[in-house]
């Protein structure tokens, strides 16, 4: 009675978040430009106690907090560390707070990295990954809402019979 619509709403929120993500572009993101003061792979605790996440953390001299490239892109970490040195000026693109709330994640997650007019990590990589996830999420969300509507109709029919 309450679980099914709750799940449908939860998956709908996820679907909306993914639609927001696949429509991101440079203009819709925050440009964080500064000199690199540190670039290192750092352990982060995942959602479960058994989950170990190693994110690439980039610190900029003019920002108090570290920026993070998620471990989904760990195959790029070594290449990025080879191309970005301490003292280099880079632009890190991150989401606005409202984008983060709608599409989960962290506000200081990196979506694109530019250095000297060259893109070292492109936003299109994230968009491509999220598009594939959106297809699956769309199907699941649609199925949950249909299932809920069938349940409501069956309940209504049962009440009319009594």
């Amino acid at each position: 009675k309450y679980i099914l619509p709750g799940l449908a709403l939860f998956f709908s929120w996820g679907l909306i978040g993914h639609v927001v993500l696949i429509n991101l572009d440079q203009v819709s993101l925050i440009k964080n430009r500064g000199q690199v003061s540190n670039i290192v792979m750092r352990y982060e605790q995942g959602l479960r106690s058994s989950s170990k996440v190693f994110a690439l953390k980039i610190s900029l001299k003019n920002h108090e907090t570290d920026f993070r490239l998620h471990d989904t892109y760990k195959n790029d970490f070594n290449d990025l560390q080879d191309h970005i040195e301490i003292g280099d000026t880079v632009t890190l693109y991150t989401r606005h707070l409202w984008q983060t709330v709608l599409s989960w994640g962290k506000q200081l997650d990196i979506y694109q990295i530019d250095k000297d007019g060259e893109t070292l990590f492109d936003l299109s990589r994230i968009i491509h990954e999220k598009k594939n996830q959106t297809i699956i999420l769309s199907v699941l969300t649609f199925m949950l809402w249909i299932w809920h509507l069938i349940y409501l109709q069956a309940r209504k029919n049962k009440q009319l019979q009594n």
Side-chain angles (χ1 to χ4, degrees):
K1 181 176 172 178
Y2 299 111
I3 293 173
L4 194 55
L7 276 173
L9 284 171
F10 179 76
F11 275 85
S12 296
W13 180 17
L15 181 59
I16 290 167
H18 273 67
V19 170
V20 167
L21 285 173
I22 64 175
N23 287 294
L24 288 177
D25 59 16
Q26 279 186 350
V27 176
S28 64
L29 296 171
I30 300 171
K31 282 184 180 182
N32 304 281
R33 187 170 169 80
Q35 255 190 339
V36 176
S37 59
N38 197 14
I39 179 167
V40 64
M41 283 191 292
R42 196 173 299 147
Y43 168 78
E44 289 184 339
Q45 181 63 51
L47 292 176
R48 296 180 302 249
S49 60
S50 62
S51 175
K52 294 181 180 179
V53 177
F54 288 92
L56 183 67
K57 297 284 194 158
I58 301 176
S59 304
L60 299 181
K61 287 183 180 176
N62 55 336
H63 289 15
E64 293 180 18
T65 53
D66 295 341
F67 296 90
R68 172 183 90 147
L69 185 60
H70 200 273
D71 76 331
T72 305
Y73 310 101
K74 62 186 168 203
N75 292 337
D76 296 301
F77 289 0
N78 289 332
D79 190 45
L80 288 169
Q81 286 178 302
D82 289 344
H83 285 88
I84 301 171
E85 297 180 10
I86 293 174
D88 287 349
T89 300
V90 297
T91 303
L92 306 175
Y93 293 85
T94 58
R95 294 179 292 173
H96 292 274
L97 179 61
W98 71 268
Q99 293 166 322
T100 305
V101 170
L102 277 178
S103 58
W104 306 338
K106 295 185 179 181
Q107 191 173 2
L108 295 177
D109 283 348
I110 298 169
Y111 281 77
Q112 183 164 312
I113 303 172
D114 291 346
K115 175 186 161 191
D116 299 329
E118 179 186 354
T119 300
L120 302 178
F121 183 81
D122 193 38
L123 171 64
S124 65
R125 305 255 323 270
I126 295 172
I127 291 173
H128 177 74
E129 175 201 355
K130 297 301 178 188
K131 278 184 180 178
N132 291 335
Q133 292 174 359
T134 302
I135 294 167
I136 296 166
L137 202 51
S138 298
V139 171
L140 288 173
T141 303
F142 181 73
M143 288 171 47
L144 283 169
W145 281 113
I146 294 297
W147 192 13
H148 180 61
L149 291 173
I150 290 170
Y151 167 78
L152 289 176
Q153 187 63 41
R155 199 170 108 187
K156 182 179 175 183
N157 289 342
K158 188 176 181 181
Q159 287 175 348
L160 289 175
Q161 288 176 354
N162 290 335

